[in-house]
Amino acid sequence: QVQLVESGGGLVQAGASLRLSCTASGRVFSWYAMGWFRQAPGKEREFVASINWNGGSTDYQDSVKGRFTISRDNAKNTVNLQMISLKPEDTAVYYCAASGLSTATRMKSQYPYWGQGTQVTVSS
């Protein structure tokens, strides 16, 4: 079993920055890709960013490219999402997810493990 705990959410103004962190436990963290997803009220959970097992490959949703950066520290079993130039449309609950694959993927179905989420609210 894998446990994922997110932290770092909060309420910020448009243009501000936030850094989300996710700490994993329960299996060999460094073997698997990790991802961040988000869900806004009334909307489906959507892909935000993913990173492969060693951090050498990343992928981003178009709307966050250039503003968000995903990274991982396999020695600390953590994956981070640095967010800058936040916009009101970034408001959502952000979820960390652990894949069953080593390669980065956008597909929710490839992530069997999920954290409980952390709220990010961006005011205009």
Side-chain angles (χ1 to χ4, degrees), residues 88-100:
E89 51 263 45
D90 294 319
T91 295
V93 177
Y94 282 71
Y95 296 90
C96 172
S99 173

Side-chain angles (χ1 to χ4, degrees), residues 3-120:
Q3 293 79 42
L4 302 171
V5 179
E6 302 102 333
S7 62
L11 170 62
V12 297
Q13 291 189 329
S17 301
L18 276 177
R19 181 180 176 87
L20 306 184
S21 293
C22 172
T23 301
S25 61
R27 70 173 185 181
V28 182
F29 176 79
S30 60
W31 291 358
Y32 301 98
M34 298 292 293
W36 284 96
F37 291 76
R38 67 186 181 187
Q39 188 166 17
K43 295 187 177 181
E44 292 195 2
R45 192 170 300 187
E46 65 175 3
F47 168 78
V48 175
S50 62
I51 188 166
N52 76 329
W53 68 280
N54 67 355
S57 176
T58 58
D59 186 24
Y60 298 92
Q61 181 199 106
D62 285 348
S63 69
V64 307
K65 283 182 180 177
R67 299 188 299 122
F68 290 12
T69 302
I70 189 171
S71 62
R72 67 188 295 160
D73 185 339
N74 286 345
K76 295 181 179 179
N77 284 8
T78 58
V79 60
N80 303 302
L81 186 69
Q82 179 68 48
M83 307 184 291
I84 66 171
S85 302
L86 283 162
K87 304 176 181 179
E89 51 263 45
D90 294 319
T91 295
V93 177
Y94 282 71
Y95 296 90
C96 172
S99 173
L101 306 173
S102 60
T103 54
T105 175
R106 296 184 173 210
M107 298 177 61
K108 283 182 292 186
S109 61
Q110 298 296 337
Y111 292 88
Y113 304 106
W114 294 81
Q116 293 188 327
T118 185
Q119 177 71 48
V120 172

